[in-house]
């Protein structure tokens, strides 16, 4: 960490991206959001027990769509406010009595901005674990990892030898779920949207078999190779969910993590087979990772252990500049990115390597 | 019990109803089933540890629809076999070494027949509890009661003071669920299909408020009076389920007991709001009562206690003659019956009173 460079490089102004208009249906990047350059950095002077953070990386996640409108689980982002986002940053200034030091890397809810003034207690220190990299705190060790971990283990409750099927399997969460399944001794069937992804899932992640849902005979293939399942970790919804409702073992569990096919669809196709839940005595359950905050410690420790043993693979798809965030976000729903979508904001922290 | 009459009155032949043709969509009474009169009763001579039962009453239940076609939870009824059904009957003959006595009332899976030859172990003795009546063994103390009890308590897991909403609330299961909810200190909102049913639910069963779903403003009424819910016991599916998916409290539980609106609908409407399960961290779960067989004892005891205290009301809707069963069964899906649907088969047992 080149502390002298950090301190020298603070610019007079910074850019942030604000939430401009509630979307009806799809996000329209430069209508839903507005780029605001040339805010004075001097206005972000950290007060008592506060810090100024230069944002290095921001995480873009499907859940962000839920933050833009009325929803039951949190206040929506207010019009005119900086768009919320979790990120990694470097402390570049400390206020009176701050417990932090300039140069430390921290994680926090900085939002879509180049600089953020934060309370001491609103940021947390992170050290890169052996076998890991900084970005892993926005991947396996962050929200994505906790989503995969608690969705699979707390909702899916898989037992060794059971059959797990994962849709959106090459995505940030899905690819972790596949690997957790393999690590826990499950038969893992992965569904993704290209032959390249299928190859990656089978050869790199070691799933039992992967399927390209764009193949016309995908349902026949699934019947032949997968048969029926115990746990379905669903990131996609739509037709595949409908099909899976006909392929449940007794007491099957469908983990509703997302519905990418429906996010993208002005008229969600819906599901007609929910009565099959009766004869299979099965459940469909939604969840949000942050309900399990009290259990993050052991979960992160287990993920770090796997990372240090080289047992978890992950990809990062990085776009540059906070200004890119509005156009990058919709990629999560169109399949445009492969791997965890990240915005690289600052140039202060140089060249973090990415791994495939 | 007039034992002499029973023994004198055995006829030379009996009638049964067999499963003739697997239905595609709706049941067509005299195509799906075939009435077979004039079977020789002498062919049903009970062997060692067997009995001959004169069937008094048969229960008609929505689950029967699931028995007619391939399904994951039990073998379908075979073409040409007597249609399966649970019933109450009187032992009229005993085979060698049978533990039963002529004149005893027993419950068993007799099927749609006037007489059944049964193994000793396939029938169970029932004594009418104080405050109850024989038919209660096909109601609160039978499959219907166990469905209400375990669906509500094991899947719904209501806590005192929570809000319960019940669709098909004037039906056999629904009306019991409403009362169990009231007994357990829940706020109970009931949905039924006529103003008369609404009156009965409010005035007789004591629910907090009942709604006629045929009223155009039913959704506005539900919003105003119920607001949001913790447990939805769903017998109906369709539009009401769709609506309820938008009215969930955090950690809401939707108990999928049936889907009468869809049983009757050649193109099920389906549900489009399943992603709301995520933000509410809610679940939809199907169940079948017989998975809880190991817990029937205490459940029946609790139901008997409530019956003896006059705390459980129930209605029986009785059709006469086993020949009526094929035409009666579809009433379960059209709302034609009010109360538990029962076929009175035999005249041996006279005039069991029914209560409203």
């Amino acid at each position: 960490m080149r502390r002298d460079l950090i301190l020298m490089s603070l610019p007079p102004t910074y850019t942030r991206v604000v939430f401009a208009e509630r979307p009806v249906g799809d996000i329209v990047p430069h209508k839903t959001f507005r780029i605001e350059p040339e805010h004075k950095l001097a206005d972000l002077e950290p007060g008592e027990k506060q810090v100024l953070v230069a944002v290095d990386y921001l995480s873009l996640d499907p859940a962000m769509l839920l933050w833009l409108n009325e929803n039951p689980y949190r206040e929506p982002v207010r019009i005119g406010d900086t768009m919320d986002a979790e990120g990694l940053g470097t402390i570049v200034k400390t206020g009176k009595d701050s417990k932090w030091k300039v140069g430390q890397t921290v994680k926090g809810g900085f939002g879509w901005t180049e600089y953020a003034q934060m309370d001491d207690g609103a940021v947390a220190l992170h050290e890169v674990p052996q076998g890991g990299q900084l970005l892993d705190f926005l991947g396996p060790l962050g929200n994505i990892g906790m989503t995969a971990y608690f969705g699979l283990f707390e909702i899916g409750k898989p037992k060794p030898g059971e059959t797990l099927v994962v849709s959106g399997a090459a995505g940030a969460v899905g690819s972790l779920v596949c690997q957790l399944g393999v690590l826990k001794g499950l038969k893992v069937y992965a569904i993704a949207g290209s032959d390249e992804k299928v190859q990656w899932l089978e050869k790199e992640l070691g799933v039992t078999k992967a399927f390209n849902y764009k193949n016309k005979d995908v349902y026949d293939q699934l019947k032949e190779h997968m048969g029926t399942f115990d746990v379905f970790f669903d990131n996609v919804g739509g037709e595949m969910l409908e099909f899976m409702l006909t392929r449940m073992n007794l007491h099957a569990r469908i983990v509703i993590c997302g519905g990418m096919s429906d996010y993208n669809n002005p008229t969600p196709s819906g599901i007609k087979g929910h009565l099959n839940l009766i004869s299979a005595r099965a459940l469909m359950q939604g969840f949000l990772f942050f309900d399990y905050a009290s259990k993050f410690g052991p979960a992160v420790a287990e993920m770090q252990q796997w990372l240090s043993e080289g047992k978890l693979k992950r990809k990062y798809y990085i776009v540059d500049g906070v200004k890119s965030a509005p156009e990058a976000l919709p990629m999560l729903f169109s399949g445009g990115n492969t791997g965890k979508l990240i915005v690289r904001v600052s140039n202060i922290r140089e060249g973090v390597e990415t791994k495939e």
Side-chain angles (χ1 to χ4, degrees), chain A residues 54-347:
Chain A
V55 178
D56 295 318
Y57 295 98
L58 293 170
S59 176
L60 298 189
D61 299 296
M64 287 174 158
L65 213 63
L66 293 173
W67 308 351
L68 303 183
N69 283 298
E70 284 301 323
N71 70 77
Y73 83 90
R74 54 157 279 175
E75 290 290 307
V77 182
R78 285 178 301 186
I79 301 295
D81 276 6
T82 301
M83 174 62 188
D84 287 351
E86 194 79 8
L88 294 165
T90 304
I91 291 176
V92 292
K93 259 192 190 177
T94 55
K96 189 174 173 243
D97 294 335
S98 170
K99 67 175 178 180
W100 300 108
K101 291 191 173 61
V102 168
Q104 285 182 310
T105 297
V106 290
K107 187 173 170 182
F110 306 131
W112 289 3
T113 180
E114 291 176 334
Y115 288 87
Q117 183 182 346
M118 305 291 291
D119 289 339
D120 264 20
V123 301
L125 189 64
H126 281 87
E127 288 185 23
V128 179
Q130 195 186 0
Q133 54 175 308
L134 184 61
L135 283 184
D136 290 338
F137 290 106
L138 301 181
L141 307 176
N143 302 355
I144 288 302
M146 297 301 98
T147 297
Y149 190 98
F150 291 102
L152 179 60
F153 297 134
E154 294 280 333
I155 311 294
K157 295 188 174 73
K159 299 178 207 52
E162 282 193 331
T163 295
L164 167 69
V165 53
V166 183
S167 66
V173 171
S175 60
L176 285 172
V177 173
C178 287
Q179 294 179 86
L180 295 181
V182 171
L183 285 167
K184 291 289 187 178
L186 306 176
K187 283 175 291 225
V188 180
Y189 297 92
I191 302 163
S194 75
D195 290 341
E196 191 192 342
K197 288 174 179 176
V198 163
Q199 292 293 313
W200 181 65
L201 287 158
E202 288 186 349
K203 301 211 168 139
E204 297 292 321
L205 304 196
V207 302
T208 308
K209 188 159 180 61
F211 305 85
N212 181 346
Y213 72 81
K214 292 178 180 166
N215 287 341
K216 277 184 192 165
D217 65 343
V218 65
Y219 298 116
D220 289 335
Q221 284 181 32
L222 281 162
K223 281 182 193 172
E224 183 186 341
H225 295 284
M226 176 195 78
T228 53
F229 70 85
D230 301 294
V231 180
F232 176 30
F233 194 104
D234 186 24
N235 293 298
V236 173
E239 275 180 29
M240 188 56 75
L241 173 56
E242 187 74 53
F243 172 75
M244 289 298 165
L245 282 167
T246 68
R247 309 302 301 172
M248 293 183 287
N249 287 336
L250 274 186
H251 308 294
R253 293 129 268 158
I254 299 181
V255 184
I256 302 293
C257 182
M260 283 186 269
S261 73
D262 280 341
Y263 295 147
N264 229 22
N265 187 347
T267 331
S269 52
I271 46 173
K272 295 183 167 56
H274 84 283
L275 289 180
N276 293 331
L277 296 173
I278 298 177
S279 46
R281 287 86 114 184
L283 71 80
M284 285 176 57
Q285 187 165 358
F287 74 101
L288 287 166
F289 74 94
F290 52 67
D291 288 341
Y292 302 94
S294 66
K295 299 179 178 178
F296 282 178
V300 167
E302 198 168 8
M303 294 292 242
Q304 275 179 330
Q305 178 67 25
W306 285 320
L307 281 173
S308 72
E309 293 168 2
K311 288 179 176 169
L312 280 184
K313 310 218 166 151
R314 61 277 182 213
K315 279 186 181 174
Y316 296 101
Y317 187 99
I318 296 176
V319 298
D320 269 305
V322 74
K323 294 176 191 175
S324 309
E327 285 176 348
L329 186 60
M331 282 205 286
L332 291 166
F333 310 104
S334 65
N337 60 306
T338 303
K340 174 77 189 87
L341 186 57
I342 299 275
V343 179
R344 175 164 29 210
V345 178
S346 135
N347 291 318

Side-chain angles (χ1 to χ4, degrees), chain A residues 7-64:
Chain A
L7 295 174
M8 283 167 61
S9 62
L10 293 186
T13 64
Y14 71 99
T15 296
R16 62 176 192 148
V17 181
V18 303
F19 183 36
E21 189 183 309
R22 295 203 189 282
V24 179
D26 287 353
I27 290 170
V28 184
H30 294 293
K31 198 174 163 201
T32 308
F33 301 103
R34 184 175 66 242
I35 295 165
E36 290 190 353
E38 308 210 354
H39 282 276
K40 282 186 192 163
L41 192 58
D43 291 342
L44 297 185
E45 189 61 29
E48 194 177 330
K49 294 185 182 172
Q50 286 194 324
V51 290
L52 179 66
V53 176
V55 178
D56 295 318
Y57 295 98
L58 293 170
S59 176
L60 298 189
D61 299 296
M64 287 174 158

